[in-house]
Every structure is written in structure tokens, then in C-alpha cells.
Amino acid sequence: MSQGTLLSARRVSLAFGTIHALREVELDLWPGEVLAIVGESGSGKTTLLNLVSGRLRPDAGAVWYRDPDGALHDVHAMPDPALRRLHRSDWGFVDQNPRENLRMGVTAGGNVGERLMAQGARHYGSIREAAIDWLEQVEIDPDRIDDFPRTFSGGMLQRLQIARTLVTHPRLVFMDEPTGGLDVSVQARLLDLIRTLVARLDIAVMLVTHDVAVARLLAHRIVVMQGGRVVETGLTDQVLDDPQHAYTQLLVSSVLHA
Amino acid sequence: MKGYNFGYLDEQTKRMIRRAILKAVAIPGHQIPFGSREMPLPYGWGTGGIQVTASVLGPDDTLKVIDQGADDTTNAVSIRRFFARTAGVRTTTHTEEASVIQTRHRIPERKLREDQILVYQVPQPEPLSRLEPSRAETKRLHALADYGLMQVKLYEDIARLGQVSISYDYPVMVNGRYLMSPSPIPAFDNPKMHGMPALQLFGAGREKRIYAIPPYTDVRSLDFDDHPFRATRAPHACGLCGATDSYLDEVVTDDRGGRLFVCSDTDYCASRRDTAQVAAQ
């Protein structure tokens, strides 16, 4: 694998029965980089995300992760406790549906504090302080710290999920359609927020989206997928302004310009 | 008693339960599955505790059984008589004379010794059961020592009520590794488990689990650094013996609001009154 990458997928393939979800996919992610995976529905974007984050096992190939000490780990050869530790400290996951990730019966503060407590934080005052600080950072009124997520709007839920994920300062965050299902004005605000936070905290992001506009706004680099293969990859502006592959050309030309 | 093996259970069953107990002692706080038998009393009346007691009881043992601290309640009386008939062992109500004490929902006030065994009746052995309904998932959480969920519950209590609202079955960390349900003893009794010289065995009959705390084991009640665990008791002295350090029951004495606070540990209360009487004479 290349020097200095944070995460690398090498020739990973995965089939569900006769459906080839992923075919020999190669992928590199460098520290602090935002990488967008775009493609049509069913092209294997989410499967790829689940696979590199260890939620799914590949039939062939391997995914390598470099820890803060520079040591390389095969994600799928890691013992369960180590992978779980990674998921609650160095890594984060932002789901399309915040209800999947949040605990709806637990207050906003408890949701934000859970990862801290799972890491062993045992000081109520400082957990609460961190929760208030993060609610402010994602533009949720800190007075709502003791409210239940079910009283929050869709956009607020998504921001709460982001606060809950970033509270432990992960190095790598996986995002699956973070703005899906939100109306356009809320989307714009959320994208702006994600861009600011990611740049300030120097987090690497692997972002799955079907929306080319989201990719252009957030991503440094872009990977275009079709039928389980990576068909084109490069700098975002380069790929979107001068698409080489026929499918990418179709994808770019299909975007409506307001 | 004719027609029954010593202590009601057959020897093979006792061996199976003793193997589970040995495993439980080897891994403090970890729940060991066992083949729980049908017992001649209903689930919830101490089928787990009675099987553990039957397996550790020998002919030379002296048995004490308490229910909510009392020796004279139905459950305590019938289990004590059960073993008096099926095992012929001596029984007692005095904590210091007993070698095996089966208990429901209390730890005796008197300090226990190395040569005593305390057997708890446990309705629900899984401390995470109310937070995570899936047994497969809670097993995973125990395996990975992933107890953030329980801490979130405590956080929620403090955020909403200003204090932890669990007054009984207050979860503990055993030997710094396993989260354990202490059975529904009052939180007041939790500190007694820490470093106890006696062996503590827990039997859950319906849930088919046995777990244990070996003597002198570290047992900590979960808390926050800035909201430390506090053992609470009713702010009264016992109405019979005057004790101010024991756990109290509130007894309604008439229909005009009359109330009496008395020790829930009847043996402790009686022995204090005896001593006071002797001193007075």
C-alpha cells in the first residue's frame, strides 16, 4: 500500500449469491482527506462503506488501516474487541437515518456523552460540559440538552448524530448519505457545518452520496462507482469538470443547473 | 427422610451445579449457565438459591434462611423446613451460628466470616436486561466489557432527577471486569459485598444462571467521580432496638398514619435487644 495512507482497500470483492456487489475495488484514503463515493443506486457504494468499516467481510482482498502509531492493521483480521474499540474511539459512523444511530429514549446529552462514557469517562460534570460544547458546535440550543431526540426536527437529529460521533475526536468518519431525506435549505446548512467541522478537526471522511453537488461541495477527491466497480477516480473538480468515463459523463450531465 | 437423596437433589445434579459454581468462582461476576431443575416451589420463590444451597450443603452444616432480612416469613420458614426434612441439617436463626445462609433481598447486618457461605436468590441475573433486551447482544457487551450503556442510564438519572434513582439491584463491577446484578438487595447493602470474607454464590433458577464473588473480591457500585455512590437508609432509629446503622423497614401500625421503623434483619434486632436486656439486669 502507498506511503502514509490512513485506509486502503486492495482488490476487495464481495458477492451476495449471484449478485456481484463489489468487484476488485481499490481505494486509498489519506489523513484529513474527504473522499466522496458517488454512483447510482445499487452501484455498491454503501456496501463498500460497510465493508471497509469492518461491518461486512470481503470474499477476496483486504482492507488496511494505519493506527496513530503508524502500525498497519488488516481490518477483517482484527479481533472483535480491537475493532469495537476502533469504532468507539478512532472511527465514527454517520448514518443516513439518524434514528438508527441515536438512542431515542435517551436525552440529547446522554446521546452525546455515550461515546465518552464507553471510553471510560466517569466525571458527570465534564461529560455534561462536553455535551453542551458539542451541541453548540452543531448549532443546537444547549438548553435542549435534557430533551429527548424524538422532540427534534430531522435536521437537528442529523446534527445531533454528528455531535455524538465527533465528541471523541475520531480520525476517520464514515458518512452514508448524511444529507439524504432533508429539505434543500437544511441540507445546505448541514453541508456547511460538516465542511467547517471536518476542516477544523482535520478528520478524514469517507462519504457516500448519490448527489454530485454534495460531493463537489465537500470532497477533495471522488470515486465513481458503477455495477460494483470503480470506473473513475481523481480530484473532485477534475473528475466533475472533465469526466473521462462514459458513465461519469452521464452522471455529470444529468445534474440540473439552477 | 425416606425416598429422598440428601438435600433433595440427586448427586449427578449436584455435581453439575458444583461444576458451574467452580467456574463461577474462577471468573468472578461472570454468569455461568446451568441445567436448572424443577423444584417443589414456584419460580420467583428461590428455585435458584435452593439448588445452590442443596449442592453446597453437607451433613455438618448449619443453615439459616432469610427473606427480606427476616427469619420468620413464609419463604424463609418453608425453605428452612425443607432442608431440615430432606437433609436433616441443623438450622438456626442466628447469623453467627450459620455456616450456610440462603438469602432473599438482604445481606445480614452482622459481618460474615471466612467459614460462611452466602447464597442469594436471583430473579434476573442480567444487569443490562432492562437496557438491552437481546440476550445475545448482552453476552457480546459482557465479552467486550462494553458497559457504556449502563453508565448512560446513570447519567440520565442524574440529568433528570439530580441523583441515581436505583434503590435496589444497584449494578456493581466485580473484580474490575464484569458488570453484575447483586440481586434485588437494597443499595444500602452493596458496600458489604466489597471484600467480604465469606463466599457469595448467586443462583437464578428460572434464568438458569449461577455466578459468584469469591472471598475478598473487589466489588464497586457504579457511579461518577463527582456523584459518588451513597448508601441510603431511612433517617430513623429502629423502633425496637434503637439501631441507627441498620437497614429499616417501615411498618404501618394503624389506620391513623401510625408508622414504625424497625430493623429488617430480625436476628440483628433481637440480639441487640437481648444484649440491652442483659445489660439492664
Side-chain angles (χ1 to χ4, degrees):
Chain A
M1 73 184 269
S2 325
Q3 203 58 43
T5 54
L6 186 63
L7 192 81
S8 297
R10 285 286 163 268
R11 298 174 69 85
V12 289
S13 300
L14 179 65
F16 298 113
T18 55
I19 304 163
H20 291 274
L22 296 173
R23 298 170 200 244
E24 305 203 332
V25 172
E26 301 245 330
L27 195 79
D28 286 303
L29 182 67
W30 276 270
E33 178 188 47
V34 179
L35 176 70
I37 304 169
V38 299
E40 63 194 354
S41 179
S43 59
K45 308 184 296 281
T46 300
T47 306
L48 179 61
L49 197 71
N50 285 333
L51 187 135
V52 296
S53 63
R55 290 180 174 187
L56 288 176
R57 275 188 175 279
D59 294 336
V63 178
W64 298 90
Y65 169 70
R66 193 186 299 276
D67 69 17
D69 301 327
L72 279 177
H73 301 276
D74 180 342
V75 170
H76 298 93
M78 265 189 197
D80 268 7
L83 189 62
R84 174 82 63 127
R85 214 174 305 130
L86 206 56
H87 265 286
R88 66 188 188 201
S89 56
D90 274 11
W91 291 5
F93 216 108
V94 175
D95 271 306
Q96 174 173 7
N97 180 1
R99 285 168 189 83
E100 304 224 332
N101 212 338
L102 294 170
R103 292 189 189 281
M104 299 306 279
V106 167
T107 61
N111 266 297
V112 177
E114 180 173 355
R115 272 170 74 101
L116 290 173
M117 289 184 251
Q119 284 188 12
R122 290 292 180 264
H123 192 279
Y124 176 81
S126 53
I127 292 167
R128 204 156 165 89
E129 237 166 67
I132 289 174
D133 176 45
W134 270 99
L135 289 180
E136 276 171 351
Q137 291 203 44
V138 297
E139 297 165 16
I140 295 176
D141 184 355
D143 285 346
R144 303 205 57 181
I145 185 166
D146 292 331
D147 289 353
F148 288 103
R150 62 171 176 269
T151 64
F152 285 18
S153 70
M156 282 171 79
L157 282 180
Q158 196 55 278
R159 279 179 276 143
L160 183 62
Q161 187 188 192
I162 288 168
R164 170 186 164 86
T165 308
L166 297 189
V167 67
T168 52
H169 296 281
R171 302 167 69 211
L172 168 59
V173 176
F174 302 97
M175 294 190 184
D176 189 359
E177 305 270 11
T179 59
L182 298 175
D183 75 54
V184 180
S185 63
V186 176
Q187 264 195 34
R189 231 176 111 193
L190 189 66
L191 286 174
D192 199 41
L193 180 76
I194 294 176
R195 191 166 58 167
T196 319
L197 288 177
V198 162
R200 185 155 52 82
L201 301 170
D202 199 25
I203 300 170
V205 176
M206 192 179 267
L207 169 82
V208 160
T209 179
H210 63 271
D211 190 337
V212 176
V214 169
R216 191 189 278 278
L217 200 64
L218 287 181
H220 303 129
R221 274 194 319 128
I222 200 166
V223 167
V224 183
M225 290 190 69
Q226 187 197 19
R229 289 180 204 280
V230 172
V231 294
E232 190 163 356
T233 171
L235 297 174
T236 306
D237 289 343
Q238 183 192 330
V239 171
L240 295 183
D241 292 343
D242 182 18
Q244 301 295 309
H245 191 272
Y247 174 71
T248 318
Q249 291 168 356
L250 186 72
L251 195 71
V252 171
S253 65
S254 68
V255 176
L256 296 174
H257 294 279
Chain B
M1 193 176 164
K2 261 188 151 176
Y4 282 98
N5 187 35
F6 176 82
Y8 184 78
L9 286 177
D10 62 278
E11 291 303 314
Q12 286 303 316
T13 301
K14 287 191 200 168
R15 287 183 64 182
M16 176 269 294
I17 293 174
R18 286 178 198 140
R19 276 200 296 273
I21 292 174
L22 285 176
K23 282 187 199 169
V25 170
I27 317 171
H30 180 55
Q31 301 164 45
I32 313 292
F34 79 109
S36 180
R37 298 292 189 255
E38 189 119 347
M39 296 303 284
L41 78 167
Y43 286 132
W45 287 45
T47 51
I50 209 170
Q51 289 179 77
V52 171
T53 302
S55 307
V56 298
L57 211 56
D60 300 331
D61 273 314
T62 308
L63 179 69
K64 171 185 163 81
V65 183
I66 52 174
D67 173 7
Q68 304 275 15
D71 292 280
D72 51 5
T73 48
T74 316
N75 203 207
V77 170
S78 27
I79 293 176
R80 193 163 60 232
R81 275 190 17 212
F82 174 80
F83 280 115
R85 287 181 69 188
T86 59
V89 293
R90 273 182 298 143
T91 60
T92 180
T93 58
H94 298 302
T95 304
E96 73 274 16
E97 287 172 12
S99 56
V100 176
I101 303 172
Q102 181 173 334
T103 173
R104 171 173 178 265
H105 301 191
R106 270 316 304 277
I107 297 175
E109 303 288 355
R110 185 182 290 273
K111 280 206 164 34
L112 299 181
R113 302 180 311 263
E114 281 181 7
D115 59 347
Q116 293 178 310
I117 298 177
L118 187 58
V119 179
Y120 296 75
Q121 301 171 198
V122 181
Q124 176 51 264
E126 178 51 69
L128 296 165
S129 66
R130 280 188 208 164
L131 305 171
E132 172 56 61
S134 158
R135 196 74 203 211
E137 182 58 22
T138 57
K139 271 176 85 174
R140 241 181 104 74
L141 294 176
H142 281 296
L144 301 173
D146 194 348
Y147 298 133
L149 196 56
M150 196 71 232
Q151 206 71 28
V152 170
K153 150 80 179 143
L154 299 191
Y155 168 93
E156 290 285 293
D157 274 1
I158 297 174
R160 270 186 264 163
L161 309 163
Q163 61 185 28
V164 175
S165 69
I166 312 170
S167 56
Y168 64 95
D169 207 351
Y170 192 108
V172 292
M173 280 298 283
V174 177
N175 205 19
R177 174 60 181 84
Y178 281 100
L179 185 71
M180 192 195 88
S181 153
S183 86
I185 60 170
F188 175 84
D189 281 344
N190 271 18
K192 295 180 191 161
M193 308 179 98
H194 174 66
M196 185 191 281
L199 171 64
Q200 302 174 69
L201 302 175
F202 298 77
R206 180 183 48 212
E207 303 291 328
K208 301 175 173 55
R209 294 291 186 281
I210 284 174
Y211 51 102
I213 305 176
Y216 303 110
T217 302
D218 196 64
V219 180
R220 303 275 173 204
S221 304
L222 286 192
D223 61 0
F224 286 100
D225 297 343
D226 47 347
H227 283 80
F229 170 84
R230 279 182 309 124
T232 51
R233 67 186 287 278
H236 298 275
C238 170
L240 300 178
C241 74
T244 52
D245 57 350
S246 64
Y247 191 73
L248 300 177
D249 282 340
E250 185 179 5
V251 183
V252 177
T253 51
D254 53 39
D255 57 0
R256 296 187 303 278
R259 274 171 178 39
L260 179 65
F261 286 91
V262 293
C263 293
S264 94
D265 185 338
T266 50
D267 171 54
Y268 181 73
C269 196
S271 64
R272 271 179 58 90
R273 273 177 287 154
D274 287 349
T275 326
Q277 205 173 13
V278 169
Q281 285 165 3

